[in-house]
Amino acid sequence: MSHQARINAVVDSVVRPGRTVEWPKTGSRPAYVSEIFGQNVFTLKTLQQTLPKPVYVRFLQQIKGRQVIDKPTADAVAHAVRIWAMDRGATHFTHWFQPQTGTTAEKHDSFLTLKTVIHNGIEETSAIDAFSGSQLLQSEPDASSFPSGGIRSTFEARGYTIWDTTSPMFLRPGPHGTSILYVPSVFIGYNGEALDEKTILLRSSEALSNAAVKLLQTIGDKETKRVYSTLGTEQEYFLIDRALYNLRPDLKITGRTLIGVVPPKHQQLEDHYFGQIPSRVIAAMSETELELYKLGVPLKTRHNEVAPNQFEAAPIFEEASVAVDHNLVLMETLHQVAHRHKLKVLFHEKPFKGVNGSGKHCNWSMSTDQGDNLLEPTVKPETNFRFLLFLVATLDALYKHGGLLRASIASASNEHRLGANEAPPGIVSAFLGDHLTEVLNALEENRDLKNFSQPHLQSVKVGGTVLDLKVATLPHIARDLTDRNRTSPFAFTGNKFEFRAVGSKQSPSFPVVLINTAVAASLIEVTEALNKQKGTKAEPSIEDILTVVRTYIKSSKNIRFEGNNYSQEWADEAARRGLPNIKSCPVAFKKLLEPVHLNLLVSQGIMTENEVKSRYHILLEKYVKDLVIEGNTLKGMIFNGVLPAVYNFRKDLADSLVAQKSIGIDISATAEKQTLDKLSKLTVDLKASADKLSLLIDEINAADEHTQAHLASTSLLQNMEEIRTTTDSLEQLTSDKYWPFPKYTELLF
């Protein structure tokens, strides 16, 4: 790679004309978002219009879990969706599923079928379009070609994808003006083992619903038949010029920069967050939103994030299983649209050292089929007994299974972000805010609440307080019950918990699975405690409920922390409380196998013991592979790019010194000599570290699984950091025209 290639890429990014996409119109005016929303989704309303009423009723019963779908119903739905899809240009369909790769998978099959008839003894074949119920319900990918943790091998390759009727089918653009019908599906092995992220998410949703409904029935709610977790994912990402990206092997192969000096200006002026969105970026954002609105993805918010070229997209909350689908569709669509705009989207948690990385804040709550948010505190949370029961159950789950949640967000990429004063540390804790903390403390101590109002500045208002801004032209504003704690991994934010530690690149499914499962188990315990406390009474009394609530307030108190989670004081305090501070992925992954967590997953019917162990091996293997790939990529960049560039610069310096000496100049104290001396020492150090890296990678590849993980998480990471430090020093000394890779200044600005 040459210096000229860098220059050409930068110039091209400036002079290249922007991409223009026309927004749809309704008549002569631009279409409202509500008019295009979901137009590429095969909704229940569309199905109702195309199916006979008895068939539609049977299908509704099936998706509500009351009846297994039969073949005539499946055939009718398949026919209806094929006609709908083909009328909109579809030529192919695919079972779209979520293997344990962190992304999605799809295999396209056409609607084309050959029909053979014999006419007057002559066989005649004709082409027809068809889509049967069996094709809709089930497909068969090669299970051995996906991560399975030993469950499937090459000689045991059969696996199945099965239509998930709870998530609607949709159309995505194909080539040449065509489209493709996507059928959201689960992915299982030949013997029914979960090989994906969705199967266990649906299982956990059922477990949570069953446990929550039983608790609600215990306190007198006979109307609610189903409870589901809701999810809103705040997706952070970087956008950089694609031409510059193509000149960085580390970004292309690993998703992050393995070398590079932070520019003099980055995010320290705090001027990028919520700043004006660059025109090229907002064009890509708008086109992404247009496609996602058609797919029924309810995007709500877009804005600049803290770091240069970092942005965020956030949707309206949905049922968790659909929200996970939509988050993955968002990531895929953003990738495709960015490509059209000559941009590259980076979802890696830490693509650039020295500036903030990216997360996927998962806002989690529980809602009933009556539309009630079970974590809504209302005006007086101290007398909202339903809220209190579900709150303490959630805190209990977090306290007992915080290590499990830590395992759910562990990855080689997220490890760079966690605990780095930009994301929560490896200690899982919950933040409630002053008001709710006072409510729980007052209930525990059986005393009256303190008064939060300050009459000279504010007055009590529904949902919190009203701030008087002391400016006549400005209105009063409503203030929330709680402040926001950006350092907390699991913070209560009004009527939901925000799991802030989830990585931007990963699927949100597994973290939600573990939250659902842990909360379901705690809800069962709370229900049992309540039944025991009420005795023979038909329903528990207020005092019965408060007695149980107090018990769980006390038992889970250690998980609550209201201060700065980044501080050493909290790390020390957490240790005194017995909360684990998990700093590495191999340690986090082992939490899956601890009896208390393993028994939770098995007893709740979320995963079998073999499925848990297979996931552990998948996570550990991927962690090692990710780091070895980074090591090999870095080795190539050093030997093929950095060292040759420094050698050339060093030669030119040496030639200059020879020329100066030939005309009688004392070169012992010249700037060139000083620079050459520094370069020579750093070059020797870098070559030695890179040689050590090669040997270390060979050692890791030859080791067993657990030794590999240990070496990768210690020696390999340390060695790569040494190489980076030396290389970054060389970048600052080497003439720009010799440096082979785009620099941070070019990538971020």
Side-chain angles (χ1 to χ4, degrees):
M1 296 176 190
S2 67
H3 179 249
Q4 189 59 46
R6 286 170 51 201
I7 294 175
N8 292 343
V10 172
V11 171
D12 182 59
S13 69
V14 175
V15 302
R16 181 192 308 128
R19 172 179 165 85
T20 301
V21 175
E22 186 175 348
W23 189 267
K25 290 185 177 295
T26 300
S28 59
R29 64 167 174 80
Y32 301 156
V33 171
S34 59
E35 293 173 334
I36 61 175
F37 187 80
Q39 70 179 34
N40 288 342
V41 180
F42 191 64
T43 62
L44 284 177
K45 182 178 179 181
T46 304
L47 189 61
Q48 185 179 23
Q49 294 169 349
T50 55
L51 287 183
K53 185 174 181 180
V55 178
Y56 178 71
V57 170
R58 281 204 308 272
F59 178 73
L60 282 185
Q61 290 172 338
Q62 186 274 325
I63 64 173
K64 291 178 181 177
R66 297 179 185 144
Q67 183 177 319
V68 177
I69 192 168
D70 53 42
K71 190 176 186 306
T73 303
D75 284 337
V77 174
H79 176 77
V81 73
R82 179 181 66 82
I83 297 300
W84 172 84
M86 292 185 65
D87 285 347
R88 289 158 178 79
T91 58
H92 290 70
F93 68 93
T94 178
H95 275 216
W96 181 68
F97 58 103
Q98 302 164 23
Q100 295 176 62
T101 57
T103 182
T104 63
E106 56 193 65
K107 178 190 72 171
H108 298 182
D109 289 305
S110 75
F111 291 119
L112 176 67
T113 299
L114 295 180
K115 182 178 180 181
T116 302
V117 297
I118 298 177
H119 184 67
N120 293 329
I122 300 175
E123 188 177 279
E124 184 176 347
T125 301
S126 59
I128 62 171
D129 296 301
F131 185 42
S132 68
S134 59
Q135 289 175 306
L136 170 62
L137 290 174
Q138 181 177 318
S139 184
E140 185 181 328
D142 181 354
S144 68
S145 297
F146 293 98
S148 69
I151 288 180
R152 296 274 86 189
S153 59
T154 305
F155 65 92
E156 298 172 316
R158 196 179 297 278
Y160 301 106
T161 54
I162 302 171
W163 175 32
D164 170 22
T165 58
T166 66
S167 189
M169 292 178 276
F170 55 91
L171 290 174
R172 299 187 76 178
H176 318 304
T178 65
S179 59
I180 302 150
L181 175 66
Y182 280 69
V183 182
S185 304
V186 301
F187 178 39
I188 61 172
Y190 180 66
N191 297 311
E193 311 95 338
L195 299 177
D196 65 340
E197 303 290 357
K198 174 169 275 203
T199 301
I200 56 174
L201 178 58
L202 296 177
R203 291 174 184 171
S204 74
S205 298
E206 285 296 313
L208 179 69
S209 180
N210 293 337
V213 169
K214 287 179 182 177
L215 177 54
L216 290 171
Q217 290 175 343
T218 301
I219 59 175
D221 180 352
K222 308 302 181 185
E223 299 298 321
T224 298
K225 305 301 180 187
R226 179 172 176 264
V227 169
Y228 56 92
S229 55
T230 59
L231 180 66
T233 54
E234 301 172 32
Q235 179 68 59
E236 296 175 341
Y237 58 93
F238 282 80
L239 279 173
I240 64 172
D241 185 81
R242 193 168 194 90
L244 292 168
Y245 162 84
N246 284 329
L247 297 176
R248 290 286 310 215
D250 46 2
L251 281 176
K252 290 177 67 176
I253 296 172
T254 74
R256 75 179 182 103
T257 53
L258 301 175
I259 56 176
V261 178
V262 179
K265 177 184 179 295
H266 41 91
Q267 65 186 46
Q268 69 267 52
L269 296 180
E270 301 174 334
D271 56 349
H272 192 260
Y273 188 61
F274 278 28
Q276 186 175 18
I277 302 172
S279 57
R280 189 175 170 197
V281 171
I282 201 168
M285 284 180 169
S286 180
E287 186 175 348
T288 300
E289 290 168 346
L290 175 59
E291 291 202 10
L292 291 173
Y293 289 146
K294 293 178 181 179
L295 292 171
V297 180
L299 277 186
K300 184 70 173 178
T301 302
R302 64 189 185 200
H303 64 80
N304 284 7
E305 258 299 334
V306 171
N309 274 354
Q310 187 186 31
F311 309 94
E312 180 180 297
I316 299 171
F317 297 2
E318 302 174 277
E319 185 168 351
S321 60
V322 175
V324 168
D325 284 358
H326 282 169
N327 177 253
L328 296 174
V329 169
L330 182 154
M331 294 172 72
E332 293 172 357
T333 304
L334 191 52
H335 169 81
Q336 293 166 350
V337 172
H339 188 90
R340 299 171 201 160
H341 288 261
K342 309 300 182 184
L343 295 168
K344 174 62 182 177
V345 62
L346 304 177
F347 290 117
H348 193 287
E349 285 81 359
K350 195 71 173 178
F352 301 102
K353 185 178 180 180
V355 299
N356 273 18
S358 299
K360 192 194 307 276
H361 304 161
C362 290
N363 296 274
W364 178 91
S365 189
M366 295 169 279
S367 290
T368 72
D369 54 9
Q370 307 298 308
D372 294 333
N373 182 348
L374 295 172
L375 290 181
E376 174 59 61
T378 65
V379 182
K380 298 187 69 177
E382 64 272 21
T383 59
N384 186 341
F385 304 118
R386 183 183 70 179
F387 164 74
L388 291 171
L389 287 168
F390 279 87
L391 175 66
V392 297
T394 304
L395 294 174
D396 178 70
L398 193 66
Y399 178 62
K400 291 176 178 173
H401 300 289
L404 198 58
L405 265 64
R406 175 64 178 85
S408 76
I409 47 101
S411 68
S413 52
N414 206 24
E415 202 169 37
H416 295 285
R417 170 177 164 266
L418 296 176
N421 287 346
E422 59 179 275
I427 308 165
V428 174
S429 65
F431 167 84
L432 296 181
D434 291 343
H435 193 124
L436 280 182
T437 295
E438 168 60 16
V439 168
L440 296 193
N441 289 344
L443 289 173
E444 178 188 1
E445 299 163 15
N446 202 17
R447 60 170 172 78
D448 292 337
L449 265 69
K450 295 177 183 177
N451 187 358
F452 277 82
S453 65
Q454 300 177 26
H456 64 288
L457 284 179
Q458 56 201 31
S459 58
V460 176
K461 187 179 186 292
V462 172
T465 57
V466 173
L467 298 181
D468 183 358
L469 302 180
K470 303 300 181 184
V471 179
T473 57
L474 295 178
H476 287 177
I477 63 169
R479 187 170 77 168
D480 293 310
L481 284 174
T482 60
D483 203 344
R484 291 188 66 193
N485 187 337
R486 293 174 57 86
T487 72
S488 175
F490 206 73
F492 190 79
T493 55
N495 58 6
K496 62 189 183 302
F497 278 97
E498 183 180 19
F499 193 14
R500 295 182 55 84
V502 180
S504 56
K505 188 170 69 171
Q506 74 175 103
S507 165
S509 179
F510 194 43
V512 174
V513 166
L514 298 186
I515 295 172
N516 285 353
T517 306
V519 172
S522 290
L523 288 171
I524 291 171
E525 290 185 18
V526 169
T527 303
E528 291 172 350
L530 205 52
N531 283 325
K532 183 177 180 180
Q533 181 66 33
K534 77 180 179 65
T536 58
K537 297 192 291 291
E539 292 182 6
S541 64
I542 291 176
E543 190 53 43
D544 290 335
I545 293 174
L546 290 176
T547 298
V548 171
V549 167
R550 287 189 186 100
T551 299
Y552 281 89
I553 290 174
K554 293 176 183 177
S555 65
S556 64
K557 194 169 186 176
N558 279 347
I559 202 66
R560 290 157 42 199
F561 180 65
E562 301 300 304
N564 180 6
N565 285 255
Y566 296 166
S567 67
Q568 183 58 44
E569 289 78 10
W570 167 232
D572 297 338
E573 172 62 22
R576 286 190 290 271
R577 296 186 187 188
L579 301 178
N581 186 358
I582 302 172
K583 298 182 179 180
S584 76
C585 288
V587 175
F589 298 149
K590 286 182 180 178
K591 291 294 177 181
L592 287 167
L593 304 182
E594 289 185 0
V596 64
H597 305 314
L598 179 61
N599 292 340
L600 168 76
L601 293 166
V602 173
S603 65
Q604 291 298 310
I606 311 305
M607 303 171 78
T608 65
E609 185 172 341
N610 282 341
E611 287 172 342
V612 176
K613 290 180 178 179
S614 77
R615 184 170 287 261
Y616 166 75
H617 291 298
I618 289 169
L619 290 169
L620 198 63
E621 182 182 33
K622 185 177 188 305
Y623 174 75
V624 173
K625 286 180 177 178
D626 283 343
L627 291 182
V628 169
I629 288 170
E630 287 188 355
N632 279 318
T633 303
L634 180 59
K635 182 177 69 172
M637 293 179 71
I638 298 304
F639 283 119
N640 301 325
V642 174
L643 285 175
V646 176
Y647 295 156
N648 287 333
F649 181 46
R650 193 170 62 170
K651 179 181 180 298
D652 281 0
L653 286 175
D655 290 346
S656 173
L657 289 172
V658 170
Q660 292 180 57
K661 187 175 181 178
S662 68
I663 59 174
I665 297 176
D666 181 6
I667 63 171
S668 60
T670 61
E672 292 94 329
K673 180 66 166 61
Q674 293 173 1
T675 301
L676 185 59
D677 289 343
K678 291 179 182 178
L679 280 173
S680 296
K681 182 181 184 308
L682 289 169
T683 304
V684 170
D685 291 344
L686 180 59
K687 174 66 166 57
S689 294
D691 288 338
K692 180 181 175 182
L693 175 62
S694 296
L695 295 174
L696 189 53
I697 291 172
D698 290 341
E699 183 182 359
I700 291 172
N701 287 333
D704 64 84
E705 180 183 60
H706 293 95
T707 304
Q708 284 183 329
H710 173 72
L711 289 173
S713 65
T714 54
S715 302
L716 181 57
L717 282 174
Q718 291 167 8
N719 179 243
M720 290 173 63
E721 187 58 33
E722 289 172 6
I723 291 174
R724 177 168 201 148
T725 300
T726 306
T727 303
D728 289 354
S729 296
L730 284 168
E731 180 185 328
Q732 292 174 301
L733 286 173
T734 303
S735 172
D736 186 69
K737 73 176 183 178
Y738 293 92
W739 199 251
F741 307 115
K743 298 182 177 182
Y744 273 30
T745 303
E746 297 153 353
L747 292 166
L748 291 174
F749 295 96

